[in-house]
Structures are given as C-alpha cells and as structure tokens.
Amino acid sequence: MCTGSLAGHNAVRHYLGMPLLILPKATAIGDLIAYANCKMATKEGRRNRYTFAGAGYFKRMKDTNLYSVNNEEIKNKIQKLNLSNIMSEKLI
C-alpha cells in the first residue's frame, strides 16, 4: 500500500515535470525500496517477497532501528527529515 501510494504520487509529479519523491533510507519505506531493489538484482533475491509484514525485512527493520510503534517517535523522525505531510501536498 505504501509503495502504491508513492507510485501514484510520483506519477503525478512526473506528469507535471516535477522531480520524483525519493524517500530516504532513514524511513522504513525508503529503506524497504532500496533494500528490495538491491536484492532484486540477484537471481536469489528475485525469488523472495519484500514486505513489512514478515520475512527477512521485518528482522532488518528491527536490526536497523526502523521498526517502531511509537507514533511520537515516528512523527519526530519524519519532521527531522522535512517529510511531514509530504503526501498531502496538493500537486494539481
């Protein structure tokens, strides 16, 4: 769902000639996308699924301190990255 929303957002940005939104690896979504892209470059990696809900990536989120259920912690991290309400920005 997260990557689909990002894809839709970036489709509009592309249509408008705006730079695409690339989320940093300091966010779970940005890290998941970078991690999956790296893994998908290998034959073995193409056999796996990359989701937040389990498999190898859930362990990675914990190992890299990207997993949190603390809304205030998440909000503060996103604010520090200047990404607050980024998906709410009216593009059209």
Side-chain angles (χ1 to χ4, degrees):
M1 189 165 91
C2 298
T3 54
S5 295
L6 179 61
H9 181 83
N10 275 337
V12 174
R13 291 177 76 93
H14 176 74
Y15 173 77
L16 296 173
M18 297 173 67
L20 301 181
L21 174 60
I22 299 172
L23 297 173
K25 290 195 281 186
T27 66
I29 299 168
D31 186 65
L32 173 64
I33 292 168
Y35 179 77
N37 284 339
C38 181
K39 292 293 188 179
M40 294 292 286
T42 68
K43 184 176 182 178
E44 181 181 305
R46 288 188 295 273
R47 295 180 183 155
N48 296 326
R49 295 183 61 216
Y50 302 96
T51 69
F52 292 121
Y57 189 73
F58 188 73
K59 181 181 179 335
R60 177 182 168 83
M61 276 196 310
K62 287 184 172 184
D63 291 347
T64 57
N65 292 322
L66 290 171
Y67 178 77
S68 177
V69 293
N70 181 321
N71 288 339
E72 195 64 29
E73 178 185 346
I74 296 165
K75 181 181 174 182
N76 289 336
K77 180 185 271 191
I78 296 304
Q79 283 177 338
K80 286 179 185 174
L81 294 168
N82 295 318
L83 293 171
S84 296
N85 301 312
I86 193 74
M87 298 296 276
S88 299
E89 179 184 345
K90 183 119 172 118
L91 299 177
I92 297 179

